[in-house]
Amino acid sequence: MSTTDTLEKNPLPEAAEAALSTESSHEGHDHHEHDHHDHEGHDHDHVHQHGPVLNPECTRELVIDVPADEVAKSYGKVVGNYRKYAKIPGFRAGKVPESVIKRRFATEIRKDVIDGLLPQRFNKAVAELGVKPVGQPQVTELTVEDGAPLHVKAVFEYVPAFSIEGYKDVTVPKPPVDITDEEFKAELAQLRESRATVEPVEEDRPLVDGDWAQITYKGQVEGDETAAPISGEDTLVEIGGKDTVEAFSAALRGAKPGQELKAEVIYPADYSEARLAGKTVAYEVEVKAIKKRTLPELDDDFAKELGAYESLADLEERVREHLASRKRRSVEGETKDRLFAALTQKYPFPIPESMVQEQIDARLERGLRALAAQGMDTEQMRKLDFQRLRAAQRDSASAEVKTFILLDRIAQEENITVSDEEMDHELQLAALQSREPVDALKVRLTEDGGLARIREQLRREKTASVLYERLPA
């Protein structure tokens, strides 16, 4: 991702990359975050930059001709309505001449005539073709005027028919979800770490492994005098710690408070902080103090301090439950991803471009919401290179669309449906998320088609769960 200036000048480039490139592709992850919510305070119009390009493998053409007498009849009816209600200075209500009405409201009348004549005919013609359109049809030819035949030619995309014979035989490994002793111990250790205390070391001695040095430092990237200095005040560094660069540990080991020293650190090429990866930095360091980190004992008192736990045994039981739930979700999601990949590989089929573009829109919308939550403002978002972002999302969006279409076909084969009770439950969750009454949410979603999208999404999730449960352990 880049901005219109440069990527490096963007104050949140790494966050933007993360938010916009790590969208989950499998069903069921954060599935209550529907794309029907309003995005208050953020201008996301720049996301929808795709053009009306259709996939020729999924495109049908439709020609509709309406006889001149029917067109004339429709014009007469529409013009009559305008005469009845139009208020034009100099004329009494209902007495405006037709010629004035036709001239004054030409654009509106033409649109009303088209809207009155085409939709029903279009739907009937599509039904006769035996396909279901996706996206909006694109009109390539249109001729309409009073007293003449109406002629329209339109193209639209559809999901082509394809076989899913043998889909139940497609399997992937289904890893166990049981919690290991190592995972349980690691979680308890993390809880202890979160409650560790750091106390100053009063005795007069040098730094040793396991100590925490409180330091002030300033560094300069070698070979790049224009680079901003790297500095920190009262930073804690663990001597010999797994997250401490060894050169720092080596320089600090044996030092005492009040001592000033120099350290040259060569960062590995895969260092987690991109601006330092592969760089050599010359540091000037002042040791302020030696501190010792103390972990609490794992006992009943520790459990009670953490929350509403009666004992250590109670805490351990809750930790196991939390770990089991987290691992189950993770394993299930990753396994579904592999299953979807196997299914889409076994059943190749062309996909409508309009569906791909809609999915790119959805992915970018979620990414922008994440960036806004991290502090990126609207002005910074406008500087993002959305053309490149859209291109970067394409492969993932295409894979998701293929998965959606496959799940819809399998749901149809399995007669999987979503009950009204399941919809009501989902709407309750969505109402809590959007902070609006359920009834108001239903009205809004009914108007914009959101209810159908939610039902469709839930059906896919149910289908994915059925396929997952069938996998051999």
Side-chain angles (χ1 to χ4, degrees):
M1 180 168 61
S2 66
T3 66
T4 52
D5 300 319
T6 62
L7 174 62
E8 291 73 23
K9 293 180 183 177
N10 189 312
L12 290 173
E14 293 177 6
E17 285 286 3
L20 294 173
S21 64
T22 58
E23 294 290 341
S24 166
S25 64
H26 55 260
E27 293 289 307
H29 281 200
D30 300 326
H31 69 274
H32 300 307
E33 173 106 11
H34 298 300
D35 294 321
H36 56 258
H37 300 308
D38 292 329
H39 314 303
E40 296 181 8
H42 303 295
D43 176 13
H44 293 169
D45 290 343
H46 46 259
V47 172
H48 310 285
Q49 297 176 346
H50 55 82
V53 179
L54 305 182
N55 183 351
E57 294 183 272
C58 307
T59 302
R60 296 292 292 268
E61 185 178 78
L62 204 58
V63 177
I64 298 175
D65 290 294
V66 181
D69 59 338
E70 291 189 42
V71 177
K73 183 178 179 181
S74 180
Y75 260 98
K77 181 178 180 181
V78 172
V79 171
N81 285 335
Y82 273 82
R83 283 194 72 195
K84 187 181 298 183
Y85 299 107
K87 295 181 179 180
I88 298 178
F91 297 96
R92 286 183 297 163
K95 299 299 183 179
V96 184
E98 280 193 9
S99 58
V100 175
I101 291 290
K102 289 180 178 180
R103 185 171 62 253
R104 185 73 173 266
F105 301 105
T107 301
E108 293 86 349
I109 291 171
R110 183 176 185 270
K111 181 181 182 301
D112 288 352
V113 168
I114 292 171
D115 289 345
L117 292 174
L118 282 185
Q120 187 174 356
R121 288 173 170 83
F122 179 83
N123 292 336
K124 180 181 178 183
V126 168
E128 290 173 354
L129 290 175
V131 296
K132 182 180 179 181
V134 296
Q136 292 296 319
Q138 296 181 16
V139 176
T140 57
E141 293 179 12
L142 176 60
T143 303
V144 56
E145 60 181 276
D146 193 1
L150 182 151
H151 169 79
V152 65
K153 182 183 291 186
V155 293
F156 64 90
E157 288 189 304
Y158 66 100
V159 177
F162 60 94
S163 171
I164 56 171
E165 183 179 356
Y167 72 89
K168 292 182 181 180
D169 299 326
V170 178
T171 62
V172 294
K174 187 177 183 180
V177 296
D178 298 329
I179 300 301
T180 65
D181 287 341
E182 290 75 16
E183 290 168 333
F184 175 66
K185 290 176 182 177
E187 189 72 10
L188 286 181
Q190 189 172 349
L191 282 175
R192 291 183 71 198
E193 289 282 348
S194 70
R195 293 289 171 149
T197 58
V198 179
E199 303 292 339
V201 173
E202 302 295 346
E203 61 181 298
D204 181 19
R205 66 169 180 79
L207 284 160
V208 296
D209 283 2
D211 285 338
W212 288 76
Q214 181 179 327
I215 65 171
T216 293
Y217 64 90
K218 185 176 182 180
Q220 183 65 48
V221 177
E222 291 188 359
D224 187 359
E225 299 303 324
T226 62
I230 302 162
S231 60
E233 294 281 341
D234 295 327
T235 302
L236 290 176
V237 178
E238 184 182 10
I239 310 303
K242 61 182 177 62
D243 296 325
T244 305
V245 177
E246 176 52 33
F248 248 118
S249 291
L252 291 168
R253 196 177 285 120
K256 288 187 174 184
Q259 188 172 342
E260 296 181 357
L261 49 90
K262 297 181 183 294
E264 184 178 84
V265 178
I266 302 174
Y267 290 93
D270 60 351
Y271 190 64
S272 58
E273 194 171 344
R275 64 172 180 157
L276 298 178
K279 303 290 180 62
T280 299
V281 181
Y283 286 101
E284 294 179 355
V285 183
E286 179 185 358
V287 180
K288 294 292 196 67
I290 300 176
K291 298 199 172 183
K292 202 73 177 176
R293 203 157 180 263
T294 304
L295 296 175
E297 292 294 327
L298 273 177
D299 54 22
D300 291 346
D301 290 337
F302 173 73
K304 292 174 183 177
E305 286 180 8
L306 277 179
Y309 305 109
E310 296 180 359
S311 63
L312 178 60
D314 184 23
L315 170 63
E316 290 180 338
E317 181 180 354
R318 297 284 291 276
V319 167
R320 285 189 183 277
E321 291 174 356
H322 170 73
L323 272 178
S325 176
R326 188 173 69 191
K327 186 172 183 179
R328 184 169 57 252
R329 289 195 305 270
S330 175
V331 169
E332 182 174 341
E334 292 169 1
T335 304
K336 286 178 181 177
D337 278 347
R338 291 193 296 271
L339 177 59
F340 299 155
L343 284 167
T344 53
Q345 184 175 8
K346 181 176 176 64
Y347 303 105
F349 54 90
I351 55 177
E353 179 63 19
S354 55
M355 293 183 71
V356 175
Q357 293 297 336
E358 286 175 6
Q359 193 61 18
I360 291 174
D361 287 344
R363 291 174 64 85
L364 290 183
E365 290 283 2
R366 290 194 295 269
L368 290 176
R369 285 201 298 270
L371 290 177
Q374 294 171 23
M376 180 178 278
D377 60 31
T378 303
E379 194 58 39
Q380 289 171 317
M381 290 183 187
R382 286 198 180 102
K383 294 179 180 179
L384 298 176
D385 185 348
F386 280 91
Q387 185 175 355
R388 190 161 85 86
L389 283 176
R390 296 192 71 85
Q393 297 294 318
R394 183 174 182 81
D395 287 347
S396 296
S398 297
E400 288 169 351
V401 169
K402 288 181 180 178
T403 296
F404 296 161
I405 293 173
L406 266 171
L407 288 174
D408 290 342
R409 284 281 286 108
I410 294 172
Q412 184 179 4
E413 189 76 17
E414 300 267 352
N415 293 317
I416 294 174
T417 59
V418 175
S419 67
D420 291 340
E421 290 76 13
E422 289 168 323
M423 278 293 292
D424 287 341
H425 175 71
E426 193 71 10
L427 289 173
Q428 293 282 353
L429 293 173
L432 288 173
Q433 190 179 55
S434 61
R435 296 183 178 89
E436 63 183 310
V438 174
D439 290 341
L441 177 66
K442 282 183 178 180
V443 170
R444 179 162 63 82
L445 294 178
T446 300
E447 292 174 351
D448 68 9
L451 280 180
R453 291 194 297 272
I454 293 176
R455 189 177 290 275
E456 187 178 61
Q457 186 175 350
L458 289 177
R459 187 183 186 215
R460 289 168 182 164
E461 290 171 6
K462 288 184 71 173
T463 306
S465 295
V466 167
L467 296 176
Y468 175 77
E469 294 300 328
R470 282 184 189 157
L471 292 174

